[in-house]
Amino acid sequence: MATYKLLLLPGDGIGPEVMAEVKRLLRFYADKGIASFATEEGLVGGCCYDAYKVSITEETMAKAHAADAVIFGACGGPKWDNVPYDARPEAGLLRLRKDLGLFANIRPAICYPALADSSSLKREVVEGLDIIILRELTGGVYFGEPKTITDLGNGQKRAIDTQVYDTYEIDRIARVGFELARTRRKKVTSMEKRNVMKTGVLWREVVGEVHSRGYTDVELEHMLADAGGMQLVRWPKQFDVIVTDNLFGDMLSDIAAMLTGSLGMLPSASLGEVDPKTKRRKALYEPVHGSAPDIAGKGIANPIAMLASFGMALRYSFDMGKEADRLDAAIAAVLSKGLRTADIKSDGARTVSTSEMGEAIVGELARLHA
Ligand code: NAD
């Protein structure tokens, strides 16, 4: 049995509460002899600022570089609103993304049948939905220079952001998209705005070249990003993997997220280049939600986004796709039995705490393994 190295970074607010359920899952895998994970833990965000006056220490960064995967909870909260800008809680997460070169952000939008009625769309539109938004995470308009606000001296100011993409950035994200699609329903939809943006023209060209160079077994479709947004709410099941840039990905992934109900249900993965030594990609897995200070410490947070993020680690870092499928099935089974944390509660369902939900999911997993 291989042993994988994990760095657990629970963070602030509900982060440690939902991370406790990942630890429960790790104990289960170890006890059953399914997989062995060597874990280290570190501070990130506000709790790290309280201890060391920085949002992440060099020691923790070194552990992140050495780990096979980083499992991140959430960070931030009003307590740290006035800390120096460079030490603000988010800076720790941004540093991890940047230093590990995590350019590919994978956000699945999965609608569990038991929760189809909590979507704002009709049941038949979302029930059984299983799509992925693949967002380029380290380039584009969020990072392009110049990025300025200039006082024009006539009572006007001018703000400039720069959308910039090089071939290699589009090439590598497209490859991740095609590889992902190969493990699924073999369809990639590339979204850009080639009708009004030069980066869109290059995006389409490069994605097309990557496709014809090595991925003709996967269907490739191009769509303007605005039309894509419309199609996402009209008939989302037409998609499999959507690959898009940083800005459009930010918006489209939030739209896709809301198709499925609560923030407490949404996992994510951020991947970097393949490490030549380990042959694995640098990777960080985290729920989409934040530290939820309004419910922190109450033991009522939904741990499913965190557990499903760990499921993505099984799938994308450890080649344990079958085990990830089992975890997803355990989550679906617990939901269909009517167990709900407060954020997804519904009539007739039993409201449970964070640890009761984690326990039920691991219990279901044990049944699936029996
Ligand atoms: P949030 O995601 O923390 O919370 C938004 C709402 O959703 C809250 O009402 C919260 O109670 C609820 N919620 C979120 N996760 C839940 C869960 N697992 N179970 C049940 N309910 C859940 O977003 P926010 O309130 O805008 O931000 C709070 C703090 O988190 C801020 O400091 C923000 O900067 C930070 N934040 C961090 C991350 C991250 O660490 N990646 C992401 C987003 C926000």
Side-chain angles (χ1 to χ4, degrees):
M1 187 168 58
T3 298
Y4 301 115
K5 269 176 18 188
L6 297 179
L7 175 64
L8 307 184
L9 298 176
D12 306 316
I14 62 168
E17 298 170 41
V18 292
M19 190 66 82
E21 301 313 311
V22 170
K23 292 179 192 167
R24 186 196 299 277
L25 189 60
L26 296 179
R27 283 195 297 276
F28 169 81
Y29 288 136
D31 291 348
K32 284 274 178 195
I34 295 164
S36 152
F37 296 98
T39 59
E40 291 203 90
E41 239 178 274
L43 297 178
V44 68
C47 57
C48 188
Y49 179 79
D50 289 347
Y52 302 108
K53 297 283 171 273
V54 290
S55 56
I56 192 160
T57 62
E58 296 309 321
E59 191 194 348
T60 305
M61 283 306 304
K63 286 181 186 167
H65 280 285
D68 292 321
V70 178
I71 313 295
F72 186 97
C75 63
K79 180 179 172 198
W80 300 284
D81 277 352
N82 297 315
V83 306
Y85 186 76
D86 287 344
R88 70 199 190 286
E90 299 86 329
L93 179 58
L94 295 177
R95 166 117 191 254
L96 281 163
R97 285 180 183 159
K98 183 164 173 279
D99 287 13
L100 298 180
L102 305 176
F103 65 87
N105 182 233
I106 306 175
R107 274 174 60 168
I110 294 172
C111 184
Y112 295 95
L115 295 185
D117 290 327
S118 46
S119 169
S120 52
L121 300 187
K122 291 190 205 102
R123 174 176 273 274
E124 67 265 27
V125 177
V126 290
E127 187 173 9
L129 179 74
D130 175 6
I131 63 173
I132 280 180
I133 311 281
L134 177 63
R135 166 186 171 194
E136 199 291 324
L137 199 60
T138 51
V141 73
Y142 292 169
F143 298 98
E145 296 286 348
K147 193 177 208 34
T148 52
I149 298 180
T150 311
D151 195 329
L152 299 179
N154 56 356
Q156 297 285 306
K157 290 181 185 176
R158 177 170 297 152
I160 298 178
D161 289 297
T162 306
Q163 164 87 343
V164 51
Y165 272 110
D166 289 355
T167 305
Y168 81 94
E169 295 174 288
I170 307 170
D171 185 294
R172 66 184 181 179
I173 191 81
R175 280 187 281 114
V176 173
F178 290 120
E179 298 285 347
L180 272 178
R182 264 190 185 153
T183 67
R184 297 169 48 89
R185 298 189 301 279
K186 291 203 165 78
K187 179 176 173 187
V188 167
T189 306
S190 167
M191 294 191 186
E192 29 59 22
K193 288 280 287 172
R194 66 184 175 282
N195 52 344
V196 285
M197 297 171 77
K198 291 295 180 197
T199 48
V201 173
L202 185 66
W203 186 277
R204 184 188 159 117
E205 188 182 306
V206 175
V207 173
E209 281 166 11
V210 171
H211 179 248
S212 40
R213 259 201 331 260
Y215 297 97
T216 47
D217 54 314
V218 177
E219 181 192 345
L220 170 64
E221 166 185 59
H222 299 280
M223 201 177 271
L224 294 176
D226 49 343
M230 217 161 60
Q231 291 300 330
L232 258 180
V233 289
R234 193 186 70 83
W235 190 244
K237 289 188 219 171
Q238 68 184 281
F239 298 114
D240 179 17
V241 176
I242 293 173
V243 59
T244 190
D245 76 9
N246 203 343
L247 174 65
F248 297 137
D250 197 359
M251 292 185 228
L252 294 170
S253 61
D254 271 16
I255 296 174
M258 278 303 102
L259 302 176
T260 68
S262 162
L263 260 179
M265 300 291 301
L266 299 166
S268 81
S270 300
L271 306 181
E273 295 285 12
V274 177
D275 184 319
K277 266 195 283 171
T278 63
K279 306 281 180 244
R280 265 195 282 277
R281 288 184 187 275
K282 292 275 176 215
L284 181 145
Y285 299 89
E286 57 174 325
V288 168
H289 62 72
S291 58
D294 53 336
I295 58 164
K298 296 185 180 162
I300 58 169
N302 186 345
I304 292 179
M306 183 79 253
L307 289 170
S309 301
F310 188 75
M312 293 183 79
L314 295 176
R315 198 181 295 286
Y316 298 121
S317 281
F318 305 126
D319 268 337
M320 292 170 66
K322 281 214 178 84
E323 210 43 63
D325 288 345
R326 275 203 192 105
L327 180 57
D328 287 342
I331 293 171
V334 166
L335 293 171
S336 72
K337 286 181 180 169
L339 266 63
R340 300 279 191 280
T341 42
D343 57 312
I344 50 172
K345 72 169 180 244
S346 61
D347 293 344
R350 183 156 77 88
T351 307
V352 296
S353 66
T354 309
S355 58
E356 285 169 329
M357 181 57 98
E359 213 178 319
I361 291 169
V362 173
E364 197 58 48
L365 205 52
R367 263 186 290 284
L368 292 173
H369 272 282

